[in-house]
Amino acid sequence: MPSTTTPTSTESRTHRPPPSSFTFPFQSHAGNPDPGTHIPGTRRRSLDVDDLRKPFAPFMAETQRSSTPESNLSRTESSNSLYKQSAAANIPRNSSVHSFRAPFLSPSSRPSSTVWTPPTYTLQSPNISTTALPLSKSKPPLPSTRLPAPLEKHEKPWLQRPQKGERASYFLTLSFLFLGIAGAAILCWRGVADVLLLDESKLCLVMDDDFSSESLNTDNWSLDVQLGGFGNGQFEMTTDTSDNLHLQNSQLYITPTLTSQALPNLDIFNGANFTLPGCTSRNASACRAVSNAQAGLVINPVRSARIHTQGKKSIRFGKVEVRAKLPTGDWLWPAIWMLPVNSTYGAWPASGEIDIVEARGNTAAYKAQGNNFVRASLNYGPIASGPLLNQIFGWFGLKRTNYAAAFHTYTLEWTEDWIRIYVDSRLHKMLEVKLKKKGKGSSMWGLGNFPQTARNHSDSLVVVQDPWEGRGGIAPYDQDFYLIMNLAVGGTSGWFPDNVGNKPWFDGSLTAMRDFARAQDTWSATWPESVDDRSMRVDYVKMWTKCR
């Protein structure tokens, strides 16, 4: 009968065997939970291991075998009695050989000449032993299929007689290769030959102004002084003061300023009756303004400048080159453009308009193309109404900078058959229009794709007349045009789309300028204090015309 003597606490701490010496789960010990301990009223059960002794591991040699006698293990009498009275104890047992892997047993050194096999391990019970199975020997490698030496010509019978069609396929391959090279060469040649080039030997210089004098050259330029909005509902008044236009460092500066700063005693919102000094417009309404809070009328909140070459310098077919640095600031609208001298085909847009470059001062975050984009366009049509006004436009953008950060060169090239506008290089073209020799695209009327009929102001259906009939070709761009440079602010023409970039006014509102003026603290905060950055600066202007 197993001993029920319980070792003292000192003996348990000194001679307690390690957990690995127990054949878990057949015997429990402190620290190794036994399911029976979770059932109230039950005690730990120990299996009688008289017939099956504990396995012996090498690291237990000095601890368990010598210093920890088996009799020291606590066993409960109740647990042995339970097991011996159970049905499992009466099952007949046959001696058998069981294979166990020796715990924590590492192999001995593996001689290079032999294959290592695990050692045989015998349990403490005389009737149980294990023997490791020997490792299987690997199969010898297959013989190599590599030829011992290159084949001779006589060993290649397929070379003795060429296959049918081999020669034809060879020459067919060469012919297609040749045709591919020839086709690529033709494409390259046509690409170069089709480049529209202006014969500069047939150009005569009209103007070359580098703004190196102390004042604006009046032989080339005139100033527009008015506050009528110039047909776009612009919010600035243009002046002839040095605050808004001056020459510095051989550059022309067109600078926007606030009316409230230039005229601090003028109430632009209410009770003021203002007449613009030096007004050049024949329209009295473009020279005077009143402010009335009830009527929503205000005096233009911004002052700027606009110059032109009308009556002094103009070209018909030729080239215009302007090197300029554009301004930065919300709702600024710099423009370099051209209008016809005599309006041969009627009022705008029948006689056409050429926009060499237009831009917006808003930053690149502006969703309708900020100052990292520049645009060019041709505007023409029978009348300024919907489908009867055609606009051919294009743009060019920068990825990591903007056109307000440095100077760029904007160029117009213009002939009887084509018009091209680009920035810095012909590779950076914003717009190119080339007429065909025949067909629909042989005239600007054909390119406009205008409808045959339209409704007039009385809602009557009328036939649309070609204002350039009989002229064809590049008309209305077959007449003299003069150059304009200005820095506008805001406007109601759609250049700044509604609901984009926190725009503080609506184009269709009768109080658009007043709404813009009320938001002055917001948009003026985006204008740089530096005049160099807030101004449109022009380095030089050159104009050539086709020699007659």
Side-chain angles (χ1 to χ4, degrees), residues 474-505:
I474 204 73
Y477 301 106
D478 59 349
Q479 57 182 319
D480 290 322
F481 277 70
Y482 65 92
L483 185 66
I484 305 168
M485 297 193 301
N486 69 281
L487 179 52
V489 181
T492 57
S493 64
W495 179 247
F496 295 100
D498 290 342
N499 299 314
V500 177
N502 297 320
K503 180 182 173 182
W505 78 95

Side-chain angles (χ1 to χ4, degrees), residues 228-500:
F230 299 99
N232 295 316
Q234 297 163 204
F235 301 147
E236 83 284 354
M237 66 175 77
T238 56
T239 76
D240 57 0
T241 65
S242 60
D243 290 340
N244 302 121
L245 187 144
H246 68 280
L247 302 184
Q248 179 182 337
N249 301 325
S250 297
Q251 296 174 12
L252 171 70
Y253 282 67
I254 300 179
T255 309
T257 59
L258 300 178
T259 302
S260 58
Q261 293 179 350
L263 305 171
N265 298 324
L266 182 68
D267 187 352
I268 67 172
F269 289 101
N270 191 40
N273 193 334
F274 176 73
T275 300
L276 181 64
C279 183
T280 60
S281 176
R282 297 179 181 179
N283 189 348
S285 62
C287 296
R288 294 194 303 269
V290 297
S291 59
N292 187 313
Q294 293 182 349
L297 301 176
V298 297
I299 297 172
N300 304 50
V302 179
R303 294 158 66 90
S304 186
R306 166 171 161 155
I307 61 175
H308 62 82
T309 65
Q310 185 177 18
K312 298 180 178 181
K313 305 293 181 181
S314 63
I315 64 172
R316 178 174 55 180
F317 311 132
K319 182 178 180 180
V320 177
E321 185 175 293
V322 181
R323 186 172 185 266
K325 178 180 179 293
L326 303 184
T328 184
D330 284 358
W331 320 121
L332 296 181
W333 180 4
I336 301 172
W337 52 300
M338 304 183 79
L339 283 176
V341 174
N342 298 317
S343 298
T344 305
Y345 302 105
W348 190 91
S351 292
E353 173 185 327
I354 303 173
D355 297 327
I356 299 176
V357 59
E358 291 182 289
R360 301 176 179 89
N362 303 61
T363 64
Y366 182 65
K367 300 300 183 181
Q369 295 186 341
N371 57 13
N372 58 325
F373 283 90
V374 288
R375 295 168 61 102
S377 63
L378 300 177
N379 302 276
Y380 68 100
I383 59 176
S385 174
L388 299 182
L389 171 62
N390 188 40
Q391 184 183 58
I392 303 174
F393 64 92
W395 63 82
F396 198 85
L398 298 175
K399 297 295 185 182
R400 300 182 181 180
T401 182
N402 57 67
Y403 289 97
F407 281 87
H408 295 271
T409 303
Y410 306 95
T411 305
L412 162 70
E413 294 180 339
W414 172 24
T415 73
E416 298 92 333
D417 301 315
W418 53 269
I419 296 175
R420 176 172 55 217
I421 302 174
Y422 58 88
V423 51
D424 294 331
S425 167
R426 289 187 178 92
L427 298 177
H428 302 163
K429 64 182 179 182
M430 295 180 281
L431 179 147
E432 185 173 275
V433 174
K434 182 181 180 181
L435 299 180
K436 298 180 180 179
K437 293 183 179 181
K438 295 181 180 180
K440 190 175 182 179
S442 60
S443 66
M444 298 301 294
W445 172 263
L447 289 177
N449 196 26
F450 298 106
Q452 295 181 352
T453 60
R455 295 189 179 277
N456 57 16
H457 297 290
S458 60
D459 200 29
S460 300
L461 195 65
V462 297
V463 177
V464 177
Q465 298 293 331
D466 180 2
W468 317 295
E469 188 175 1
R471 301 298 293 267
I474 204 73
Y477 301 106
D478 59 349
Q479 57 182 319
D480 290 322
F481 277 70
Y482 65 92
L483 185 66
I484 305 168
M485 297 193 301
N486 69 281
L487 179 52
V489 181
T492 57
S493 64
W495 179 247
F496 295 100
D498 290 342
N499 299 314
V500 177

